[in-house]
Amino acid sequence: MATDIYGNVGACSFVVSILDTISPIITSCTSNQQVSADPAACTYTLVDASWDISGTDNCGSVSYQYILSGATIDTVNNTLSGVIFNNGLTNIQATLYDGAGNVDVCLFNVDIQDTELPVITACGAIIDTTVIADAGVCMYTNNGTGWDAIVTGK
């Protein structure tokens, strides 16, 4: 506001816009992970936040998003805790966002492997069996399922 020597007053106003153009910074990004599937399952459930990214921003709070592709397909906000990963290789794009829409990204893989052996609960034939070779050859062809093993597990 300005006043001249005659008492006339003039005023002006304007708006100052502050733009945040500085991206947040991921300070911790997990390395590639290789784990065994949960017992009696072909999946692995992450029960903690140990694979989550962390980061900072010059203007305050940040948010997190994880895009999963490959064996497990999902989009998860905030934390990977509780995510059920399918057997196989999952690619993860972890993104840190600030309030102005600036981002930082890290990539890692999670490889879930089924290492649990199947269990044979019945071995097919109940007793040892003697058979006669097929005509004209020195082998026997079994027709049917009577000798099939019964397997439990994944």
Side-chain angles (χ1 to χ4, degrees):
M1 195 148 91
T3 305
D4 66 13
I5 59 172
Y6 302 104
N8 297 316
V9 177
C12 71
S13 64
F14 54 91
V15 174
V16 175
S17 297
I18 300 173
L19 299 176
D20 176 10
T21 59
I22 299 173
S23 293
I25 298 171
I26 293 175
T27 56
S28 176
C29 180
T30 192
S31 60
N32 292 337
Q33 302 293 314
Q34 184 176 35
V35 295
S36 294
D38 292 330
C42 288
T43 59
Y44 174 80
T45 302
L46 184 62
V47 296
D48 58 30
S50 61
W51 298 349
D52 287 357
I53 59 172
S54 60
T56 62
D57 184 59
N58 63 317
C59 289
S61 64
V62 292
S63 59
Y64 306 89
Q65 183 179 61
Y66 303 89
I67 298 174
L68 288 63
S69 62
T72 306
I73 299 173
D74 202 354
T75 299
V76 179
N77 293 314
N78 302 319
T79 182
L80 290 170
S81 181
V83 171
I84 300 171
F85 290 89
N86 294 323
N87 192 42
L89 187 66
T90 297
N91 306 300
I92 299 179
Q93 176 183 307
T95 306
L96 179 67
Y97 293 89
D98 70 9
N102 300 309
V103 300
D104 194 9
V105 175
C106 81
L107 306 171
F108 61 97
N109 298 316
V110 173
D111 187 9
I112 307 303
Q113 297 185 346
D114 179 5
T115 57
E116 189 173 7
L117 299 174
V119 176
I120 296 176
T121 57
C123 195
I126 296 173
I127 57 172
D128 290 342
T129 305
T130 302
V131 296
I132 298 172
D134 292 337
V137 292
C138 290
M139 62 184 203
Y140 173 79
T141 303
N142 179 36
N143 293 314
T145 59
W147 293 353
D148 291 355
I150 299 171
V151 178
T152 61
K154 304 175 280 169

